[in-house]
Every structure is written in C-alpha cells, then in structure tokens.
Amino acid sequence: ALIRSLQPVRTIHSLVSRCISHLSRQCYDVIVVGGGHAGTEAAAAAARMGAETLLVTQKIHTIGALSCNPSLGGVGKGHLVREVDALDGLCGRAGDWAGINFSILNRSKGPAVWGPRAQLDRQRYREFIQGELRSISRLTVLEGSVEDLLVAEPSPDEPGSHRVTGISLENVLNPITASSVVLTTGTFLSGSIFVGQTTSPGGRIGDAPSSAGLSHTLKERLGLRVGRLRTGTPPRIVKESVDFALAELHPPDRRPTPFSFMNTHTRCKEQVPCYLTYTTPGVERVVQESLHLNCHIQQDTKGPRYCPSIESRVLRFPGRSHQVWLEPEGVTSDLLYPQGLSMTMPPEMQLRLIREIPALHRAEIHSPGYGVQYDYVCPTQLSSALQVKTTQGLFLAGQINGTTGYEEAAAQGLWAGVNAACRALSTPPVSLSRTESYIGVLIDDLVCRGVTEPYRMFTSRAEFRTALRPDNADLRLTPKGYELGCVSPSRYQEAMRVQRSLQDAMAALQALTLSTARCREKLPDVRVSESKNAALTGMELLQYKELSFETLASVFPERLSSYLEFSQRLKIEAVYKPHCDINKKEIERIQKEENMFLPQDIDYFSLPASLSQEAREILDRVRPTTLGAATRLEGITPAAVVSLYNYVQFAEKKGENGQQKTTRSK
C-alpha cells in the first residue's frame, strides 16, 4: 500500500516563508538554490541527513513543476528513479502518486534493461512534491532570487582556492550564511528564450533567468570553465482539436508497476492512453521554409542529440518520417504534449507545421514551443561528491553540470545534498562507485569525461548492468543510505525484510533438487535436454524461460508458497545469477582500483613517471581522485595507468617506511 496519504496543499503560505524577515535564522548548514528536480531532492536529502537546510526558489508555486515532458522514467532513466527512491528520495513516490499511464519499456529484452516509465499529471506531481517538502523537519523554503554567492578565503586544512560561505538575495540587505551551498539552477543560469527571431532573458516561459552576478562569480571570481548548451520544448496542443481516429492508440500496461519500493500499487484508478502519429513531407517543407526566421536553430550552441528539435531531425535526416507521441498532461487537463515536436520557429509557422500531420490537421496551439540557451559548468571541475574542486563548500547538481532530464537531475541533486550535509556536519564526503549504481555511473561519467552535449543516461553506459537492475536497487543502496543517515528506519527495515526473505527463498530453491527424469514428470512444459544427467536445483530450473516461480511453487507449495510475494524478483535473480557470478571478480578488481587514492596535490608535470605531455595535461586539469577514475579519462592510456599505479604504490610504501622509522625513533 502507499506508505502514507498525501495531505492536500492548503495554501502555498503553509509551505514557505515568503520573505527574508520571516526566516527564523540567518545561518544554515546547507542552502540549496533552485526548486526543480535537483533542488528539491538536494534539499530533502540534506534535511534527512540532519542538516538545517534552506531551499531558495524564484517562484514558490513552481516547486516540483514539470517544465517540459510530463513523464518520469524510461530506459536507463527508470533505473535512476528507482535508485533515488532506494535512497529515500522523492521522485519515485511522486511518480506513483501522480502517474496516469504506466508502462515498462524494453519488455522484449532482459529485465536488466527494462525501463519503468509513467506519464504524469502535472498538477498532482507538483502538489505531492510541495506536500513532501512541507512535512520535512529542518527544511525551510524561501521565495527569492539569489543575487550572488558569498566568497571568502579558503580554510587552510582543505584543498581549494576559495570558500563559499552563503548567498546574498536581491533587494535584501542581510546575507544568509551556510557551511555548504548547492546550486541547481537548471536552464536559468544566464538563460535566454528563443521563439522565431525573438530572444528574451529567461530559463522558462514566464520566469526570469538567474542573476547575472551569479554567472559572473562562477566565471570570473571562482575561475570556473563555463560552456553553453541549448534545449527546447514543443507547443502544447488543445486536446479537443486532435483527430485521434488518425493516430495509433497505445494503451498502458494493464497493471501499473510502481516506481517506489515502498508501494505495492499506484494511486491511479483509471489510466489514460497515449497516441502515436508521424511527420509528413509537409513538415519538412515548413522547416526548410522557416529556417531564415529561426534564430535558435542557426546558433552553433550544442543541443541534445537524444531529444532534438524537429528542425534538427529534419536537417539531419532529410526525407524520413519521424515519430510524434501525443501524451496527456493530466487527468483533467485539456492539453496534449506532442513529444518529438520541440521547435523554435515563429508561432504562425509552428501552427502550419503541426497541421501537416494528419491527426493534427485541425489542431489548435495553446502555447507555442520555444528554445532555451543557458550556461553550464564543465563537470570535470567537480569531485565525485559533486563539490567544486577549487571551491570549498560549493556543490553543483542538475543541468548546470551539462545533463538533460528530470531523472539525471534528481539523482545528482540527492547525492549533492547528501555530501553538502556531510560537509556541514563535519563528516567525510561519500561517493558511489559505477560498479554499484547508475547514479555512480552518471557522476563518474560527468566528473571524469565531461560533456560535449547534454548528457542522458542509457543502460549501455553501465558496464555491469546485469547486476545494476531496477528490481534490486533497494538491496544495493538502501543499507548504504541508512548508514549515511539519508534513509528512514522504516524504509531500512522493509529493505532488510525483503533481503532476508529473498535469501531464505533462494536457499530453499538451492536445496530443492530434481533429477532430469523427475523434472520431466513434475514439470512437463520445461524443455530439459535429454542429454542432461545431473540433477537441477530450483535456481537452475528458474533459468528456463518457460518456468515461472508461481508454477514451481504450485508443484512444491510446502517449500516455496510462502515466497510468492517475491515471484518476479526470484525469477530475475535466478536468470542473472550466472552472469553476476562471472562479473563478481571483475567488479572486485575495479573496486580495488577505485579505492586507490590519488593525492590531490600531485604535481603531474614534474611527476617522476613515464607519462606523455598530453596525459600530464589531462590529469592536471581533471585531477581524478582515484586510479579507477583516471582509467576512464579520455586520452589516458593503459601505460599511463600503470605508471600512476607504480607511483602510488611507491609513494605509499615510502610513506609506510617513513612512519615505521618515526615510530622506532620514538
């Protein structure tokens, strides 16, 4: 069941303090700037860790807003949602509350790459997030615009050239101080909105960009390398103006699969379908005719390869037909989101283009599509804790790090919030390995490899995806989260109950053995090879595609019927057990590399090691914290890794000998 019912958001005033004079304090442990997916997860995580936390956002009623597509999850992205949930984050439970169309993508492939996904009701999602924030102790929310960061001299006992000590707000005299500041500015950092030939400042229609002082401080005072990226959103279409008879109906899964491990079902009583249609040659003609009127598409600022505008698709793949998904924006909403039709041409040309699609031949536009260009900070300047390496107390999460998507932002926000709280509470920073989570893969890719275009998560980015499945995120991450302090006792106890039950069930399956003759007698539908002589265990039997745990339990009810609650998980565990056993040694080797610390004060240019000038420059610029991180840097050869390994081993041995001599002399 849903763990708790959401209390209605009575008034926005119950959620926030509206002005600085209402704040009960001027000093916090953690300040989070921005109320999107990254910011809300960061603020909630920091507060759960025990840090007094302030969330500052420009408009309180947009907290938890779905700025673009009203959906959550997907292939790779759904893995992130389940991992955020396993660490007691918000977005999974919010998706279960607000979802109106649930499906598992990639079902034709193995469960390791299944993608839990849901269409969301925009209003319900925002209400859930705001309700959750209101219920979190140690969290204050403030409406205001951050004018600048407070920057001071660095503490001598930490690496870094600067130290961030808080924020100053526009039109407010008194600054607010904190041990840690998390920036989650999304597309608002020096954001510009493009429609046709018109450009205006902003990160979202109707909202202003972040203060110019913030961008100036990041670039000029802190000396960070900053780039420029772009994204866009499609026009919203009036539902009643669409001819659904000319589109393909795509119903959701009959039984919704919840995102959250704490939920056995979703709130949705009756799901809403989606529809699929396609572009026509007329769409390509309108794009070509409007290019001279389209400032955004003429810019060379990099856009998202994996969610491109319709103009980019037509120019890159002329003569092709492209999918357009017509997705509901809510149960009671009269609008549709046409996924695949992000565009920035003038509004009148947008209407012409849309009406070239048969199902949309009478469509009316409620609000036009637009493009956004914004600043991002090159993420190789961050540590694996998402703290700026050269600036003490400053953490970055979300699109400011060059990513795209709600799920990537939420994952970074949660981990930045955890580490911001660790710093404020004087505990060591923590990291997630790419061998144990997709969040670890995401962060490692960002801080080691950087981005040349908006980063999106795919299952292909994870080397050990057979072990990093959506179904086992709770067993992988909840115990670690509880140890850190960001997971509640109730969630931890549930994860431990599940773990014990699965272990007992797998032990029962392993103890259940059948000869091939008895197997054919008891399980005639299982195609066991005639040449197979050895007895089969229950775990081995479940590896056969045609056998479900329910069927096996019906044959041996006295041994297995008490574990029917975990039928699907046990089937998946059995299927992937051989693969995970093979990967275990490789994971152990990589973890050993990950744990080999590279001192942050190494002078790579004078290092007595066989390294090329290019390798020295890369290592000096990125400054990986571990040998494992260094191995994944583009341009670092295996020979360079060996040289680094030998240097660290020699330095450690020399340090140990020196310590021994010192000890003996005492």
Side-chain angles (χ1 to χ4, degrees), residues 128-148:
F128 185 95
I129 294 295
Q130 292 181 7
E132 283 291 305
L133 295 182
R134 188 180 64 247
S135 70
I136 297 174
S137 59
R138 300 191 185 89
L139 176 59
T140 304
V141 185
L142 171 71
E143 183 176 88
S145 183
V146 175
E147 185 175 66
D148 209 347

Side-chain angles (χ1 to χ4, degrees), residues 196-322:
Q197 294 180 304
T198 302
T199 304
S200 58
R204 177 171 56 203
I205 284 289
D207 293 325
S210 63
S211 167
L214 196 55
S215 295
H216 179 269
T217 293
L218 293 175
K219 289 187 235 182
E220 304 301 329
R221 294 184 67 188
L222 302 183
L224 297 178
R225 298 191 309 278
V226 174
R228 195 88 172 148
L229 292 173
R230 70 181 182 190
T231 187
T233 191
R236 306 306 193 263
I237 297 173
V238 178
K239 188 188 297 184
E240 289 183 353
S241 67
V242 175
D243 189 347
F244 291 108
L246 299 178
E248 299 174 16
L249 173 68
H250 278 257
D253 291 350
R254 285 188 178 182
R255 184 177 178 183
T257 301
F259 286 110
S260 179
F261 289 98
M262 300 299 280
N263 292 339
T264 57
H265 65 273
T266 66
R267 183 197 185 211
C268 186
K269 303 299 182 186
E270 186 173 346
Q271 299 188 79
V272 181
C274 295
Y275 292 84
L276 176 63
T277 186
Y278 297 87
T279 61
T280 63
V283 168
E284 185 168 339
R285 185 173 61 252
V286 174
V287 169
Q288 294 288 355
E289 290 175 1
S290 64
L291 285 178
H292 66 291
L293 302 173
N294 196 333
C295 289
H296 188 66
I297 203 67
Q298 293 169 12
Q299 302 288 328
D300 60 1
T301 306
K302 288 188 175 292
R305 183 198 308 184
Y306 307 112
C307 188
S309 66
I310 189 61
E311 297 101 325
S312 297
R313 291 186 183 199
V314 164
L315 295 174
R316 196 180 302 169
F317 307 107
R320 291 191 188 179
S321 178
H322 303 279

Side-chain angles (χ1 to χ4, degrees), residues 101-168:
N101 178 299
F102 291 83
S103 58
I104 300 292
L105 307 185
N106 252 7
R107 270 203 191 271
S108 61
K109 299 182 180 179
V113 294
W114 285 356
R117 186 183 188 275
Q119 287 299 128
L120 306 173
D121 184 296
R122 289 186 186 275
Q123 182 61 28
R124 288 181 184 175
Y125 191 90
R126 188 165 64 242
E127 286 178 354
F128 185 95
I129 294 295
Q130 292 181 7
E132 283 291 305
L133 295 182
R134 188 180 64 247
S135 70
I136 297 174
S137 59
R138 300 191 185 89
L139 176 59
T140 304
V141 185
L142 171 71
E143 183 176 88
S145 183
V146 175
E147 185 175 66
D148 209 347
L149 298 173
L150 305 180
V151 181
E153 289 297 312
S155 299
D157 54 344
E158 294 181 55
S161 307
H162 310 88
R163 178 166 57 97
V164 167
T165 61
I167 59 171
S168 60

